[in-house]
Amino acid sequence: MAELGASKRLTRRLLWLVVAQVLFLLAVAGSYYATGLWGKEIRLKTVPVDPRDILYGDYVRLSYEISSLKPELWKEPGSEPERGDVIYVVLKPDHGLYQPAAAYRSKPQTVDDEVVLKGRVDYSWNEAIAVKYGLEKYYVPEGTGQDLEKKASDMVVRVKVAPWGQAKISGLEQDDS
C-alpha cells in the first residue's frame, strides 16, 4: 500500500516536471513572437559576410557599427565592462539609422524615440567595447548569400526591439541614404 502512494507521488512529480519544461519552451517561443508583435522597428547599418552552414544553408554573418562602442558611452563610473557581462545599449535615431548614445549594466529608462538593446560584452579595452547582440546571423534563401555579399557596403538591417531589450531581425534592405 505504501509503495502505491510513493508511486503516485513520483508520477505526479514527473508530470509537474514535464509541464514545467513545456511551459518554459512556450515562454521562450512566446517572447520571440511577442518581440515581433510589440517591438519597435529600428534600422542599423551593417556589413555582411557570406558563410554557409552545412545544416541550415546560406546565412549572412552581420557586423554592426553599433557593435564597437566608444568607452565614453559607458555610464557606470568606477566599473569597467568585462567579457561576458550583459549590458544595455541606448540607441537614438540619427538620419534614419540608430546610433549608440550610452551603455549601462542595468536597463535604463528611455525617452522619445530611444530604444534599449540588450547585448553581451565580447571584449573591452581602452579604445572600444565590443558587443554582441545575438543578431549576428541572418539565414537567407539558398543561393542568395553571395548577392547580399556584393551589396554589403549599402546594407541596412531592420530590427524589432521589444520594450524589455530582446531583439530580432525583421529583414535586410538597401541603404537609400
Side-chain angles (χ1 to χ4, degrees):
M1 190 72 156
E3 289 179 20
L4 186 60
S7 175
K8 282 185 179 183
R9 280 192 302 267
L10 181 61
T11 302
R12 275 193 209 141
R13 286 182 183 167
L14 287 174
L15 181 62
W16 278 111
L17 181 62
V18 169
V19 167
Q21 290 175 345
V22 168
L23 289 175
F24 174 77
L25 291 174
L26 288 173
V28 168
S31 73
Y32 182 77
Y33 288 108
T35 298
L37 289 174
W38 293 300
K40 179 177 185 169
E41 188 165 275
I42 66 172
R43 297 173 70 228
L44 302 172
K45 183 73 174 159
T46 186
V47 178
V49 178
D50 179 38
R52 180 162 168 69
D53 185 317
I54 204 160
L55 297 176
Y56 297 106
D58 282 356
Y59 68 90
V60 178
R61 185 173 301 242
L62 302 168
S63 176
Y64 300 91
E65 288 182 354
I66 66 166
S67 294
S68 182
L69 304 176
K70 295 176 183 173
E72 56 266 20
L73 294 177
W74 185 246
K75 302 300 180 188
E76 305 277 340
S79 68
E80 297 298 319
E82 296 180 8
R83 182 182 179 101
D85 286 353
V86 172
I87 65 170
Y88 296 85
V89 179
V90 177
L91 303 173
K92 289 183 178 183
D94 181 24
H95 298 95
L97 297 173
Y98 275 71
Q99 300 296 329
Y104 301 88
R105 282 197 193 281
S106 56
K107 187 176 181 286
Q109 295 295 322
T110 58
V111 295
D112 299 327
D113 287 341
E114 294 179 340
V115 296
V116 176
L117 197 54
K118 184 178 177 182
R120 187 170 300 277
V121 175
D122 193 28
Y123 54 89
S124 172
W125 74 94
N126 293 340
E127 297 167 15
I129 302 166
V131 182
K132 296 217 180 230
Y133 298 99
L135 302 169
E136 286 75 26
K137 280 187 183 179
Y138 182 64
Y139 288 91
V140 296
E142 190 74 28
T144 62
Q146 288 186 352
D147 289 338
L148 287 173
E149 185 178 300
K150 291 175 188 172
K151 301 173 186 175
S153 61
D154 297 324
M155 294 300 295
V156 171
V157 176
R158 290 189 325 272
V159 176
K160 288 276 198 156
V161 182
W164 52 91
Q166 183 176 354
K168 77 174 200 170
I169 297 173
S170 57
L172 298 175
E173 63 186 39
Q174 283 295 126
D175 185 11
D176 297 328
S177 59

